[in-house]
Amino acid sequence: MRPWTWISGANHVLVIGINDYQNLPRLETAVNDASAVADVLRQKYGFKVELLLNPTRGKVIRALDNLRGELTERDNLLIYYAGHGVVDVEADEGFWMSVDAEEGTRADWISIGAVTSTVRAMSAKHVMVVSDSCYSGRLTRGLTAEVKTGAEREAELRRLSGKRSRTALVSGGLEPVSDGGGDGHSVFTRAFLTVLRESTEVLDGQQLFTAVRRPV
């Protein structure tokens, strides 16, 4: 069995990376991060990859809607985003920023609520969202962790593989995060890529979180 893959079904990934913002400060590593994630998931794990570099809000929403219409209960999906993130404190809502997003108007902002509602509505069995952006903690509601024995972990993987799941792995809580890590990748995505490249066993979401969290 290939490491860090869902136990059954076809695996898809939508990868989004934005550097060249038209109206916001340019980022240095997001496109490189997205491209590297797409490569490792395609080459090592056999994912069917859709890569969006510097997309508009419309392209992102259209890609999500297409996946909602195409994926079945036999499919699994990973969504990866690297780019600017903001939070509207008064509205208590987080956003990913499209390439043409502007300060002062939400016309081209990508609501995290819209992303999560689309993910919730999909027929796909397992969906994981990986977000490397500021304020990405808006994707999550909390976390519990426990250490399992090898036998317990195998039984848990078998049990979970038969259920629908929706999970998120994010680079930070409700605060800014670093764009650079000194080697062309952000600190978070560098750790994420290291885990993907070096893993030799099946990882569940909690193990992936733990492995990424240590170096970050």
Side-chain angles (χ1 to χ4, degrees):
M1 185 178 295
R2 287 174 298 187
W4 195 70
T5 185
W6 286 288
I7 289 178
S8 62
N11 296 324
H12 302 254
V13 60
L14 173 63
V15 182
I16 305 160
I18 306 176
N19 277 355
D20 300 330
Y21 284 94
Q22 298 171 11
N23 307 295
L24 300 172
R26 188 182 187 280
L27 294 177
E28 297 299 325
T29 66
V31 164
N32 193 41
D33 288 341
S35 299
V37 168
D39 286 344
V40 72
L41 289 176
R42 180 191 297 111
Q43 295 170 12
K44 183 174 181 179
Y45 296 96
F47 274 62
K48 181 179 179 181
V49 174
E50 181 174 1
L51 176 61
L52 300 180
L53 300 181
N54 300 308
T56 63
R57 177 185 181 276
K59 287 185 178 180
V60 173
I61 298 300
R62 191 173 294 110
L64 289 169
D65 287 344
N66 288 342
L67 288 166
R68 177 182 175 182
E70 294 171 3
L71 300 187
T72 72
E73 65 277 359
R74 298 183 300 276
D75 299 313
N76 309 298
L77 174 66
L78 188 146
I79 301 169
Y80 171 90
Y81 172 79
H84 279 306
V86 300
V87 62
D88 183 335
V89 176
E90 288 78 12
D92 191 28
E93 187 171 11
F95 296 86
W96 291 342
M97 304 300 270
S98 68
V99 71
D100 50 354
E102 302 174 66
E103 290 188 37
T105 174
R106 298 184 298 176
D108 294 302
W109 300 7
I110 303 164
S111 167
I112 287 177
V115 174
T116 55
S117 64
T118 302
V119 164
R120 190 180 304 118
M122 288 179 177
S123 298
K125 178 171 283 188
H126 303 299
V127 182
M128 174 178 280
V129 181
V130 178
S131 181
D132 190 357
S133 70
C134 299
Y135 308 107
S136 50
R138 291 285 171 181
L139 279 162
T140 64
R141 291 182 177 273
L143 174 70
T144 58
E146 59 179 305
V147 178
K148 293 182 172 64
T149 66
E152 288 173 334
R153 180 173 159 269
E154 182 176 357
E156 184 74 356
L157 284 171
R158 295 294 175 186
R159 184 183 70 82
L160 292 176
S161 70
K163 296 178 176 290
R164 292 176 81 248
S165 67
R166 301 294 185 265
T167 57
L169 176 65
V170 303
S171 59
L174 304 182
E175 70 277 326
V177 297
S178 173
D179 176 38
D183 60 352
H185 294 294
S186 74
V187 172
F188 172 82
T189 294
R190 179 178 58 193
F192 183 55
L193 287 167
T194 298
V195 174
L196 295 183
R197 288 167 176 161
E198 296 181 357
S199 177
T200 58
E201 62 178 2
V202 176
L203 295 175
D204 61 26
Q206 181 59 49
Q207 286 180 302
L208 182 62
F209 167 79
T210 301
V212 171
R213 181 177 183 272
R214 288 194 192 105
V216 172

